[in-house]
Amino acid sequence: MRKVLIIMTGGTISMVRSKISGALHPAKLETFKAFIPELFAYDDIHVDILEFHPMLDSSDINPDNWQKMAHAVYDNYNRYDGFVILHGTDTMSYSGSALSFMLDGLQKPVVFTGSQLPIGVLRSDAKENLLTAIEIAAAKDEEGNAIVPEVTVFFEDRLFRANRTTKKNAEHFSAFNSYNYPPLAKAGVHITYQPHLVNYSPMDMPLKLHDKTDCNVVVLKLFPGISEVVVRTILHIKGLRGVVLETYGAGNAPSAKWLYRQLKRAVDRGIIIVNKTQCSTGSVDMGLYEVSQNLLKAGVLSGYDITTEALLTKMMYLFGEYPDNHAEVQSLLQKSLCGEMTIE
Ligand code: ASP
């Protein structure tokens, strides 16, 4: 019998509609279970549920909740073969990315899933998503090793590496995409895994929990007409340590001297700035165009093909883990730690 722990954090998947007000609210655990009796009908998988209090809409999830989720996995690690985290879709990519950095050396699957329609609605996608996520969390190869021992997101019919995902659709059942990395599995009649795409941690590595984060980071999105005062004000936020600079195309920015000056001064003050393209697909290629040369000269780092969600959470994790080691944070930002970016 394989064992899977469901960690319920909230989100639409765990909600029912009130008969009185018509509003969605978190279901009681017993009500939730009653909607999915299949959870306890597996011959070969035993399912337990750990419920968070309070259950949250994922817009209210913050780094404290990431810690709680990471601890729930860490504390129960030896008792289960895999974990499913039920989470609202709105910030699932942030939580999934954060946990991929916090749970270092993972040998077991941690599968995030949720739904677009609440569990209590007849056409809900909740049941399919959850039941398939459980199978993935329990899946093992012939040698008894987990097939996808990574933090992942399963939604509709595809399994993605969590730190490669972005919520792309507020309407369709297919709510997520991984623009720069192929799915790790597809679920049809059978679940077809792509083991050659999976990031396996070394077998002898014990699970290590990194539970500190530092929120002194910001996303600065360039737009035509952005003014010096806006950029200067953001770069002078008290305590600021890291900036996700969202640029155009292959990592380009206006060639205005003031922009170079503001970025260079921020880098000289010890702020780490990483270039992330506003395009969903493709990679930053600094220096390719003249308009990105200034960024290079100012000391801005390349974010390659990373997502904003992964870059932001990676910075939060690194600043938390190495509070006094600027060089180490810089160096690790230029490396892929758990498959979050491809460095050509
Ligand atoms: N607002 C909800 C949440 O993210 C949406 C969802 O679950 O799909 O918690």
Side-chain angles (χ1 to χ4, degrees), residues 115-157:
S115 67
Q116 293 283 59
L117 280 174
I119 186 77
V121 170
L122 275 184
R123 281 180 56 244
S124 177
D125 48 334
K127 213 180 240 195
E128 261 182 58
N129 285 349
L130 175 52
L131 296 177
T132 311
I134 291 173
E135 285 205 25
I136 293 169
K140 298 203 174 183
D141 62 19
E142 288 99 52
E143 273 130 48
N145 299 316
I147 299 182
V148 190
E150 286 202 43
V151 181
T152 52
V153 166
F154 178 76
F155 227 84
E156 210 201 14
D157 59 351

Side-chain angles (χ1 to χ4, degrees), residues 158-288:
R158 286 176 302 167
L159 181 74
F160 298 119
R161 177 173 302 149
N163 60 33
R164 291 288 193 154
T165 61
T166 296
K167 183 171 179 183
K168 62 159 188 189
N169 205 309
E171 167 76 21
H172 290 173
F173 285 147
S174 170
F176 290 88
N177 208 354
S178 162
Y179 290 98
N180 284 324
Y181 201 76
L184 304 179
K186 286 193 185 145
V189 173
H190 302 288
I191 302 176
T192 316
Y193 293 97
Q194 306 293 334
H196 62 288
L197 297 173
V198 174
N199 186 38
Y200 292 99
S201 305
M203 276 299 206
D204 50 358
M205 193 170 160
L207 180 67
K208 217 166 150 198
L209 177 67
H210 304 288
D211 63 354
K212 293 183 209 73
T213 49
D214 181 334
C215 298
N216 287 305
V217 293
V218 75
V219 180
L220 170 53
K221 183 169 184 159
L222 296 179
F223 57 90
I226 192 166
S227 66
E228 181 168 11
V229 67
V230 166
V231 172
R232 189 177 55 224
T233 307
I234 291 175
L235 294 179
H236 279 86
I237 294 170
K238 202 163 169 268
L240 186 66
R241 304 197 66 191
V243 180
V244 175
L245 181 67
E246 288 202 349
T247 58
Y248 308 128
N252 302 319
S255 42
K257 284 214 175 60
W258 66 258
L259 182 62
Y260 165 74
R261 207 171 44 233
Q262 290 300 337
L263 295 172
K264 172 89 174 60
R265 283 181 190 160
V267 170
D268 290 346
R269 288 196 302 277
I271 294 174
I272 296 181
I273 307 179
V274 184
N275 186 347
K276 152 80 187 95
T277 170
Q278 290 176 22
C279 297
S280 323
T281 309
S283 183
V284 163
D285 187 352
M286 289 214 290
L288 177 67

